[in-house]
Amino acid sequence: MQLTRTKSEKTKQTMDEKLNSLRAGVLGSNDGILTVVGVLFSVAAATTNQFTIFIAGLSDLLACAFSMASGEYASVSTQKDTEKAVVEKERQLLKTDFECELHAVQRHYMTLGVTEETAMAIARDLLTKKPLATVVSIKYDMQLGHYMNPWDAAFASLFSASAGGVFPLLAMTFAPAHWQWPATIIAVSVAVALTGYLSAVLGKGNVKTAVIRNVLVGIVTMFIHYYVGTLF
């Protein structure tokens, strides 16, 4: 029989859920920075009209933010549907092929060094107390009842993409005329370095490599869009 979970247990986010929202936030921020600076550089290279530059940048910021949010919502919704389908599949298997599920749990503990007899005893005990939660956790590394929240990911992307795009937008449109270009380049370089650092920390990757990579991508993005703007 499944143990009843309290309301606080149901609503408490797992580490994977929190990391998913943080990941969406970091990616959204990085996209917001690069897409907005790309438009700003293209437009600013083609015209010196500050209002035109500002409106172009603001429009792109809003478009990027809502595009990232809708994309995250669709992606995480699909993942959530897949997770629910897996749980339902295991629920049916427990009814129709209990022995197979039992041996799957037993094999799991045997790979951890537990003897065959002890592993079977553990498996029987777990499947008596928490059958569905046990097989879902062991076979798919999922916590029963905890699914990725598409709304959390969508709002994280919406906010972070907007926040990221503000850096180049403010630098380009509000810095003194003779400081526009260097101020924007500096603002973008610092911002993408920060997102590179955060992405490396979250992904447990090499921080130095991630920062350098992001800064180089930012510089290349600015150069390409500036060149495109000079063609008009």
Side-chain angles (χ1 to χ4, degrees):
M1 180 182 294
Q2 292 283 21
L3 296 180
T4 303
R5 294 174 357 125
T6 65
K7 184 177 180 180
S8 62
E9 288 176 319
K10 290 180 181 178
T11 57
K12 185 178 180 181
Q13 283 192 322
T14 63
M15 182 58 69
D16 283 343
E17 291 172 305
K18 292 177 181 178
L19 288 176
N20 185 62
S21 295
L22 287 172
R23 175 199 58 80
V26 170
L27 292 177
S29 180
N30 201 64
D31 276 10
I33 296 164
L34 295 180
T35 56
V36 171
V37 77
V39 169
L40 287 172
F41 266 48
S42 293
V43 176
T47 179
T48 57
N49 187 295
Q50 285 298 103
F51 182 73
T52 300
I53 296 171
F54 175 75
I55 291 299
L58 180 62
S59 298
D60 185 69
L61 184 152
L62 294 173
C64 174
F66 283 100
S67 174
M68 285 294 297
S70 62
E72 280 294 333
Y73 180 83
S75 174
V76 178
S77 291
T78 300
Q79 182 178 349
K80 182 178 180 180
D81 291 341
T82 301
E83 290 171 345
K84 286 187 172 182
V86 163
V87 171
E88 188 56 35
K89 172 188 173 183
E90 293 304 321
R91 193 191 308 276
Q92 295 303 316
L93 284 174
L94 284 168
K95 295 177 181 179
T96 60
D97 198 356
F98 184 84
E99 286 300 314
C100 181
E101 297 289 80
L102 180 66
H103 284 95
V105 176
Q106 179 193 28
R107 286 193 299 272
H108 168 75
Y109 283 98
M110 288 175 64
T111 60
L112 297 178
V114 179
T115 63
E116 183 177 353
E117 295 76 12
T118 303
M120 176 56 75
I122 294 173
R124 289 190 183 281
D125 183 56
L126 289 175
L127 292 190
T128 298
K129 296 176 179 177
K130 299 180 179 180
L132 187 57
T134 298
V135 294
V136 166
S137 174
I138 287 176
K139 294 176 71 173
Y140 301 99
D141 195 23
M142 289 170 48
Q143 287 193 36
L144 185 63
H146 285 274
Y147 305 108
M148 295 302 178
N149 191 321
W151 288 108
D152 284 349
F155 282 119
S157 287
L158 180 67
F159 173 78
S160 60
S162 301
V166 163
F167 283 91
L169 182 63
L170 292 180
M172 178 61 77
T173 56
F174 291 103
H178 60 285
W179 278 105
Q180 276 185 338
W181 294 99
T184 305
I185 292 171
I186 292 172
V188 169
S189 298
V190 171
V192 294
L194 179 59
T195 58
Y197 170 80
L198 291 175
S199 65
V201 171
L202 291 174
K204 298 180 180 179
N206 186 295
V207 172
K208 183 179 179 180
T209 300
V211 170
I212 293 174
R213 180 175 59 233
N214 261 27
V215 171
L216 288 176
V217 169
I219 292 172
V220 170
T221 298
M222 289 184 279
F223 173 79
I224 292 174
H225 284 84
Y226 175 81
Y227 177 74
V228 171
T230 60
L231 298 177
F232 297 96

